[in-house]
Amino acid sequence: MGLIDWARNLFGFGKLNKETTPAGTIEKEFGVRPAASRKMEDNINLWWALYTNHPPWESCDVRPLGLPGAIGRELARHALTEFSVAVSGSARAEYINRQMQLAAAKFGIDLELGLCLGGVCLKPYPDNGRVLVDAFTTKFTPTRFDGTGKAIGGVFESDPVRQGKDWFVKLEYHDLQTREDGSTVYVVENKAFRSGTGAQVPLDSVKAWAGLSEREELERLDGPLFAYFKPPSANSVEPSSALGVSVYSGPTVDLIWQADEQWQQLRREYKTGKRRMIIDKGVMDASQADDEIYEYGVFSSKDFFQFINPEIRDDPLYNGFQRILQRIEFNVGLAFGTISDPQSVEKTATEILAAKQRQFVTEKAIQAAFQSTLDDLIYAMDAWCDLARLAPAGTYSVDYNWGDGVLDDPETKRQDMAMGLSLLNASIIGPVEYRMRYFGEDEKTARKMLPDMEDMTDDDGESEIE
């Protein structure tokens, strides 16, 4: 039996269920089915439970460590460490740039949610002359993807709105449709429901939504009015699905379970390994003794006592815990020592660099996927400038800066330089190669900085060193 089946049988998914719009409601009201199958929904529920630190194995004996959230935060933090974005080219571009800078303050949280839950939808909307951005995870249901895997349809569920004694929710359906002549039309539908009963009510019966249209068909849009991010990894849960999966999906869930249990064993070792003194209750008044140390009983000898000082086996338990954390780091593409103890295993400079390189590759893939999402977000903002007449017409260009991330931190540079010096001293690499790699110089500049090397070029200025 798999973990999800076990959780469903044990809890009925009562602890795992997140707030999502039922598939039957979406199909009945809008005539489309959600992209997520039952299998994908079960996994999304599980990722949500892990992210909120309420996994199915949570109990009085096993208290979760919050590893899923930590994994998402570390991946998002490293991906955005040196991130910046600038939109330029016109008055409209300057307007969009101001909106993007406002939205960028929450990109770290948005990216963390997307990585942990398998996807996050960024939906811009006009608000008093600005364009604000909402992030949807559990309250966005993708319904359609194009051939490139980009979400072009979905249903948004609003937060409940109270009016009088009743609560109401709104479903907002978006879909980019292609006509027979090849032109596109963007359909937006709004429907309001009384929470609890599920009965549909007129939009204008709820004050907050009174000004909304029930259906709009928008022309001249080439993309949706939202941007959907999903982690850049294959869907191992359902390979045929266009949906994304959590960075800790699959076998990593079991490793997180093992880590939580191993940590609990370590805590139990400390708790049961306390010093104790077994003593006859007549020797000392129990009210005057420290109950944390003394155990009382009636023994044949009135002066009986026994001192117990057990040996705590924390080292093997702690080392085992660290091995599990390192396996998790490997699975999710983090460098060793990110969530594990950096001192738990001695590593050479080469091994450290290899671990950093693995995380660098992971972060680069995340950055590329998120940049594509931000391109879609900027397009949606530009579309709103036309729809809501927020800024004059104009073109725009976008410049992104991501930096070198994990490979650019001072400690990594120091270790890399030290390894380079070792290679140089061992004559494994030459001084020209050393300068080219660690000083960023081209070969001509490196040779110029090493006068003794200038005579090692031929008459055409080409290097004689292979």
Side-chain angles (χ1 to χ4, degrees):
M1 179 184 294
L3 177 60
I4 291 178
D5 294 328
W6 171 79
R8 187 187 295 115
N9 290 339
L10 185 60
F11 298 112
F13 267 128
K15 291 180 67 178
L16 302 182
N17 281 335
K18 56 187 179 57
E19 296 180 6
T20 54
T21 307
T25 300
I26 292 176
E27 186 171 15
K28 175 184 176 182
E29 299 298 335
F30 303 109
V32 294
R33 286 198 58 80
S37 65
R38 174 65 184 276
K39 184 177 181 180
M40 280 299 302
E41 272 294 329
D42 285 349
N43 277 273
I44 293 170
N45 284 332
L46 179 61
W47 303 331
W48 173 263
L50 266 65
Y51 179 70
T52 56
N53 210 32
H54 293 294
W57 56 83
E58 179 186 18
S59 66
C60 294
D61 294 328
V62 180
R63 301 295 179 88
L65 290 168
L67 289 174
I71 291 168
R73 282 192 298 275
E74 285 301 303
L75 286 170
R77 182 175 67 85
H78 283 293
L80 299 176
T81 295
E82 301 176 59
F83 167 78
S84 65
V85 58
V87 186
S88 59
S90 65
R92 171 172 290 195
E94 293 176 2
Y95 173 83
I96 294 175
N97 185 61
R98 291 194 296 273
Q99 314 315 307
M100 280 296 291
Q101 302 312 316
L102 288 173
K106 288 178 65 271
F107 283 166
I109 298 173
D110 299 338
L111 183 55
E112 175 187 330
L113 289 168
L115 292 170
C116 290
L117 303 179
V120 63
C121 186
L122 304 181
K123 181 175 178 286
Y125 64 96
D127 179 80
N128 293 324
R130 302 173 299 174
V131 176
L132 304 182
V133 178
D134 276 346
F136 289 80
T137 53
T138 63
K139 293 190 176 183
F140 172 70
T141 305
T143 56
R144 200 154 66 89
F145 292 82
D146 66 12
T148 67
K150 174 181 174 179
I152 57 174
V155 176
F156 298 87
E157 180 182 339
S158 72
D159 290 328
V161 172
R162 185 173 184 176
Q163 185 169 290
K165 295 182 179 181
D166 294 324
W167 290 87
F168 300 87
V169 294
K170 178 173 68 71
L171 298 184
E172 185 175 315
Y173 168 61
H174 289 232
D175 192 49
L176 181 64
Q177 301 176 2
T178 303
R179 299 189 179 102
E180 292 183 1
D181 61 2
S183 62
T184 60
V185 59
Y186 194 77
V187 177
V188 180
E189 294 184 22
N190 288 291
K191 295 186 179 183
F193 303 85
R194 180 175 280 105
S195 184
T197 65
Q200 185 176 353
V201 299
L203 278 171
D204 56 12
S205 67
V206 182
K207 185 178 179 180
W209 306 320
L212 296 178
S213 172
E214 290 189 357
R215 180 182 173 91
E216 290 283 349
E217 293 188 2
L218 306 174
E219 306 285 347
R220 298 186 298 275
L221 286 180
D222 298 322
L225 294 176
F226 61 84
Y228 186 68
F229 167 83
K230 54 185 179 181
S233 55
N235 189 330
S236 58
V237 173
E238 197 169 73
S240 61
S241 174
L243 292 169
V245 293
S246 169
V247 291
Y248 49 74
S249 65
T252 307
V253 172
D254 290 322
L255 289 169
I256 293 171
W257 185 359
Q258 293 172 29
D260 285 344
E261 290 188 328
Q262 184 76 2
W263 181 254
Q264 202 64 32
Q265 289 181 28
L266 184 60
R267 291 184 67 245
R268 189 178 299 114
E269 183 70 16
Y270 285 120
K271 185 175 181 180
T272 59
K274 295 185 297 185
R275 291 178 299 169
R276 310 294 292 177
M277 179 175 284
I278 301 176
I279 189 170
D280 190 278
K281 61 189 294 186
V283 175
M284 181 183 295
D285 185 353
S287 64
Q288 299 175 354
D290 184 353
D291 288 338
E292 288 294 316
I293 298 178
Y294 294 94
E295 295 282 354
Y296 299 96
V298 179
F299 302 100
S300 58
S301 173
K302 296 298 182 182
D303 59 352
F304 173 84
F305 75 90
Q306 182 176 355
F307 186 70
I308 300 176
N309 188 16
E311 179 182 356
I312 297 178
R313 305 168 299 122
D314 57 340
D315 280 348
L317 289 173
Y318 183 74
N319 290 337
F321 175 66
Q322 293 304 320
R323 297 297 181 273
I324 298 172
L325 293 184
Q326 288 161 6
R327 188 68 247 179
I328 292 172
E329 289 169 331
F330 183 85
N331 278 16
V332 301
L334 286 169
F336 293 136
T338 305
I339 58 176
S340 65
D341 184 352
Q343 306 301 321
S344 61
V345 178
E346 293 184 3
K347 298 181 287 294
T348 66
T350 302
E351 291 170 330
I352 292 173
L353 188 60
K356 293 285 187 180
Q357 183 68 35
R358 179 176 66 250
Q359 183 167 338
F360 177 76
V361 172
T362 301
E363 300 294 357
K364 279 297 183 184
I366 292 172
Q367 290 167 352
F370 196 55
Q371 180 170 315
S372 178
T373 303
L374 295 183
D375 285 339
D376 294 338
L377 176 62
I378 293 172
Y379 171 83
M381 285 183 172
D382 182 52
W384 270 116
C385 287
D386 289 328
L387 295 170
R389 300 181 180 179
L390 298 172
T395 60
Y396 66 84
S397 61
V398 188
D399 292 318
Y400 295 99
N401 174 47
W402 297 97
D404 291 328
V406 70
L407 291 184
D408 201 37
D409 68 88
E411 179 61 21
T412 302
K413 284 185 174 181
R414 185 191 66 77
Q415 294 169 349
D416 193 25
M417 291 279 285
M419 183 176 66
L421 285 172
S422 299
L423 296 174
L424 179 62
N425 293 333
S427 299
I428 296 175
I429 63 174
V432 174
E433 294 173 88
Y434 180 81
R435 292 196 67 91
M436 290 174 65
R437 174 172 179 177
Y438 295 101
F439 290 88
E441 299 170 347
D442 57 29
E443 184 176 348
K444 183 178 180 180
T445 303
R447 291 185 178 283
K448 185 177 180 181
M449 300 303 294
L450 297 167
D452 293 342
M453 305 297 294
E454 290 184 335
D455 59 353
M456 300 187 70
T457 57
D458 58 26
D459 294 337
D460 296 328
E462 298 293 333
S463 172
E464 295 180 355
I465 300 178
E466 295 297 331

